[in-house]
Amino acid sequence: MTRSLARRPVPGFTGRTGSGHRTADPHAKLLEERIVLLGTPVDETSANDLIARFMYLEHRAPDRDIALYVNSPGGSFHAMSAIYDTLRFVTCEVETVCLGRAEGTAALLLAAGTPGRRYVLPGARLVLRQPAPPEPVEGSVSDLAVQAEELSRVRDRIEEILVRHTRRTPEQARSDIERDTVLDARTAVEYGLADRVLTGRESPLPAPGAR
């Protein structure tokens, strides 16, 4: 069983009501408020889950905003690309918030939020990195050449996304992912991955459905 399929679901919580007890699903409650959480590695499972939620929320109210909360170590570029394309495809504006970490492909999703509405909490940790080859790298010489070409294409695409959503030049983006670039909340804003550090309740987030 792969790690993604072995995930433990977020447990519900039970509260007392006038007629007894009622169990609530945290994710369902968040979805009611048009909040989507990426709290796992980026893979096909999490991508399909997020895409379904985005499409559902757009169908319910195409003129209301969605909030994407990110706390992820990153993962598959191809899974991230599916989420990224959906985020840009839906008619809703998407506010992004990093609480915890956004590493690798997860940092790209944070940066792809609606300009002016990309937030990081003070303790957030963001990491930019180049794509890793599949494990293990094996096959014939021609197969290895194909894999190298695909890895180069993915790297070019990562640089393109960084340039589009940050204040970096293509040369800077290429240099930044040559090795891991670690950013705290303040430097993530300076870099252009986010627009603002939220320091507490004195800096409230607007309601996701508000325009």
Side-chain angles (χ1 to χ4, degrees), residues 95-98 110 114-122 124 126 167 184-186 188-190 192-206:
E95 155 188 296
T96 53
V97 185
C98 177
L110 177 75
T114 298
R117 300 185 62 185
R118 305 171 304 164
Y119 306 103
V120 288
L121 269 60
L126 293 86
R167 293 182 285 273
D184 61 15
R186 179 182 57 80
V189 172
E190 293 173 354
L193 289 171
D195 302 302
R196 183 181 174 191
V197 179
L198 294 179
T199 57
R201 291 301 185 182
E202 72 275 9
S203 306
L205 285 172

Side-chain angles (χ1 to χ4, degrees), residues 20 53-54 57 86 97 100 129 143 148 158 169 184 186 199:
R53 291 169 187 263
F54 274 116
L57 291 173
T86 302
V97 185
R129 60 171 58 104
D143 288 337
I158 290 174
T169 66
D184 61 15
R186 179 182 57 80
T199 57

Side-chain angles (χ1 to χ4, degrees), residues 75-177:
S76 164
F77 169 82
H78 299 292
M80 182 283 299
S81 186
I83 302 169
Y84 176 88
D85 286 346
T86 302
L87 186 152
R88 295 177 59 80
F89 174 76
V90 295
T91 58
C92 312
E93 290 190 1
V94 180
E95 155 188 296
T96 53
V97 185
C98 177
L99 30 77
R101 59 176 171 165
E103 301 181 12
T105 54
L108 302 180
L109 292 176
L110 177 75
T114 298
R117 300 185 62 185
R118 305 171 304 164
Y119 306 103
V120 288
L121 269 60
R125 179 179 187 268
L126 293 86
V127 182
L128 301 176
R129 60 171 58 104
Q130 63 178 305
E135 297 290 347
V137 178
E138 58 185 15
S140 64
V141 172
S142 57
D143 288 337
L144 294 177
V146 170
Q147 292 182 41
E149 183 178 348
E150 172 63 7
L151 203 61
S152 177
R153 185 192 70 81
V154 168
R155 180 181 174 125
D156 289 345
R157 180 64 175 146
I158 290 174
E159 294 171 5
E160 177 187 327
I161 291 173
L162 281 176
V163 170
R164 174 182 294 171
H165 297 289
T166 70
R167 293 182 285 273
R168 312 300 279 181
T169 66
E171 294 74 21
Q172 289 172 326
R174 187 172 305 114
S175 175
D176 292 338
I177 66 170

Side-chain angles (χ1 to χ4, degrees), residues 45-68:
T45 300
S46 60
N48 288 333
D49 180 61
L50 263 65
I51 290 169
R53 291 169 187 263
F54 274 116
M55 300 300 287
Y56 169 78
L57 291 173
E58 182 196 34
H59 176 74
R60 287 288 302 272
D63 59 340
R64 294 183 62 198
D65 303 341
I66 300 171
L68 172 62

